[in-house]
């Protein structure tokens, strides 16, 4: 127990790491549920999402997405009514330094065309995430996604 603050530093560190990982869970579930508010809650106002390293594996060149609402709306426009998704987050590792944190994780992302689930893309991606304390929660400031492997048809993600 820190006698100057009355807080247990170990409990605070564990809480911060769990809440930082929750930002990535909100990102994943927000996409899967097509829930705009949940998805947006994962990001800081000035967030950046860089999917270019992953997409380069199959020749796609998406732009870097910037800003909480632009990221949210771009993703939902791509998927809503066209692609059914499921995301599973594994192995989140979080290092907290004051009001910032750095996280790495593996995310498996399944994308199936809503009209024809035989057209799909299954991706296993490495995430590098920088986070900031945003009020009483953690939010993604920068997310970079690299692809470890994929199978299926990437047009299930980006369209033809």
């Amino acid at each position: 127990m820190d006698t100057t603050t009355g807080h247990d530093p170990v409990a605070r560190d564990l809480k911060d790491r769990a809440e930082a990982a929750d930002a990535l869970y909100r990102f994943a579930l927000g996409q899967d549920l097509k829930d705009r508010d949940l998805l947006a809650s994962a990001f800081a106002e000035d967030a950046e999402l860089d999917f270019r390293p992953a997409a380069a594996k199959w020749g796609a060149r998406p732009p870097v997405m910037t800003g909480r609402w632009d990221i949210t709306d771009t993703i939902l426009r791509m998927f809503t009514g066209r692609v059914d998704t499921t995301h599973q987050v594994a192995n989140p590792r979080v290092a907290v330094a004051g009001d910032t944190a750095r996280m790495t994780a593996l995310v498996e992302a399944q994308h199936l065309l809503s009209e024809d689930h035989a057209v799909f893309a299954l991706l296993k991606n490495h995430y590098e995430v920088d986070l900031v304390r945003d009020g009483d929660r953690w939010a993604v400031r920068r997310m970079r996604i690299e692809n470890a492997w994929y199978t299926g048809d990437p047009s299930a993600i980006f369209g033809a």
Side-chain angles (χ1 to χ4, degrees), residues 50-98:
D50 188 356
F51 191 70
R52 293 175 308 171
K57 259 227 172 128
W58 56 84
R61 291 195 266 289
V64 173
M65 294 178 250
T66 57
R68 172 187 295 145
W69 294 107
D70 285 340
I71 293 168
T72 298
D73 292 340
T74 297
I75 290 170
L76 292 180
R77 246 189 332 271
M78 263 194 317
F79 295 154
T80 302
R82 191 180 76 79
V83 180
D84 299 326
T85 63
T86 56
H87 291 78
Q88 290 145 1
V89 177
N91 303 341
R93 301 268 308 152
V94 179
V96 175

Side-chain angles (χ1 to χ4, degrees), residues 79-134:
F79 295 154
T80 302
R82 191 180 76 79
V83 180
D84 299 326
T85 63
T86 56
H87 291 78
Q88 290 145 1
V89 177
N91 303 341
R93 301 268 308 152
V94 179
V96 175
D99 287 337
T100 64
R102 175 96 174 153
M103 174 173 40
T104 59
L106 290 173
V107 177
E108 189 169 283
Q110 177 84 35
H111 304 77
L112 302 111
L113 288 185
S114 301
E115 297 286 321
D116 181 4
H117 280 187
V119 179
F120 70 93
L122 174 62
L123 293 74
K124 181 67 86 170
N125 294 323
H126 296 280
Y127 279 53
E128 295 176 6
V129 184
D130 294 325
L131 302 110
V132 294
R133 198 180 301 273
D134 185 15

